[in-house]
Amino acid sequence: MTIRVMLVDDQVLLRTGFRMVLAAQPDMEVVAEAGNGVEALEVLRTTAVDVVLMDVRMPKLDGVEATRRICADTDPPKVLILTTFDLDEYAFSGLKAGASGFMLKDVPPGELLTAIRAVHSGDAVVAPSTTRRLLDRFAPMLPSSGKQPEHKELERLTEREREVMVLVAQGLSNGEIAARLVLSEATVKTHVGRILTKLGLRDRVQVVVLAYETGLVRAGGHG
């Protein structure tokens, strides 16, 4: 199955570079390009796309707002934010807007390809260490502080699902969670799926953000 990718960046040279990398892959095809968020939204009305590589700092409409509008649609493509700076405030805003992850623009080609495939398959692509550093830095913006404020939606989870949610929020992969809880990876995937369904979340990134917002996991520590 070919992954249909859209490149959104105001720098033509960067788009050209990414297109060359993706064109060499048998399972990927660049089906569209745009130079800003407004163009991206227009193109998506008529073009089927699986994964959007989204720059954040662009004229007319930035990548965060474009991501928010894209993810508000029914059955939207996955969005992978591309940022120049690690721990950029735009990365956090992009995740809140619905992006499935973020990568640095100077990421090695192999890592970018792995990230696109991971996002397409439903995984989030924010490295565990980066997830923690990102959320630790931006935790003061979140409403959680002191005692854990419980959100009603978390009451829908079983004890095991809450355990899994905490580990997802700490940036562990399904395989790592399986090893930690002595479960099969398939069972972990089922738990993650149920967590997403019960909480009405799109993907693992939203699980991470909600876990911090509700105090299930606290910055600088564990749940």
Side-chain angles (χ1 to χ4, degrees):
M1 181 181 175
T2 302
I3 302 172
R4 298 164 297 188
V5 181
M6 179 179 186
L7 307 175
V8 185
D9 198 301
D10 60 339
Q11 297 180 50
V12 177
L13 201 58
L14 263 173
R15 295 207 309 265
T16 302
F18 285 136
R19 188 170 61 245
M20 287 173 63
V21 170
L22 300 183
Q25 303 305 306
D27 61 339
M28 293 183 195
E29 179 187 2
V30 176
V31 295
E33 293 185 36
N36 59 60
V38 173
E39 284 181 22
L41 293 170
E42 288 174 358
V43 171
L44 283 171
R45 290 193 188 101
T46 57
T47 308
V49 174
D50 298 312
V51 177
V52 178
L53 292 188
M54 179 74 75
D55 184 24
V56 283
R57 305 182 192 201
M58 297 180 293
K60 296 186 180 178
L61 188 69
D62 68 37
V64 173
E65 181 56 30
T67 296
R68 187 174 289 110
R69 295 187 193 181
I70 289 169
C71 293
D73 282 347
T74 307
D75 194 24
K78 304 289 187 181
V79 178
L80 187 56
I81 294 278
L82 294 173
T83 179
T84 309
F85 304 105
D86 196 7
L87 298 188
D88 193 325
E89 69 272 15
Y90 286 102
F92 181 76
S93 300
L95 297 182
K96 291 276 286 181
S100 295
F102 74 93
M103 302 289 289
L104 295 178
K105 281 188 177 181
D106 60 359
V107 65
E111 286 185 31
L112 177 66
L113 298 171
T114 298
I116 292 171
R117 293 184 182 106
V119 163
H120 182 247
S121 71
D123 275 338
V125 289
V126 187
S129 61
T130 310
T131 302
R132 283 193 289 269
R133 287 188 292 124
L134 183 74
L135 287 163
D136 285 354
R137 172 170 167 178
F138 291 105
M141 297 181 187
L142 301 177
S144 63
S145 61
K147 293 183 179 178
Q148 296 183 13
E150 281 298 327
H151 277 221
K152 287 288 183 187
E153 57 260 39
L154 294 184
E155 295 173 5
R156 301 174 196 154
L157 303 181
T158 64
E159 191 173 336
R160 176 63 89 188
E161 287 164 355
R162 285 172 74 101
E163 271 186 287
V164 171
M165 183 172 176
V166 167
L167 295 176
V168 168
Q170 289 169 7
L172 274 66
S173 67
N174 285 353
E176 290 166 337
I177 294 170
R180 180 79 64 90
L181 299 179
V182 198
L183 299 170
S184 72
E185 200 164 331
T187 300
V188 172
K189 195 166 186 178
T190 299
H191 283 313
V192 172
R194 286 179 181 156
I195 291 166
L196 295 177
T197 300
K198 287 183 178 181
L199 301 183
L201 303 176
R202 187 178 297 109
D203 55 33
R204 297 168 78 95
V205 171
Q206 292 194 336
V207 171
V208 174
V209 173
L210 182 66
Y212 274 76
E213 285 182 330
T214 58
L216 188 63
V217 172
R218 291 186 298 280
H222 303 305

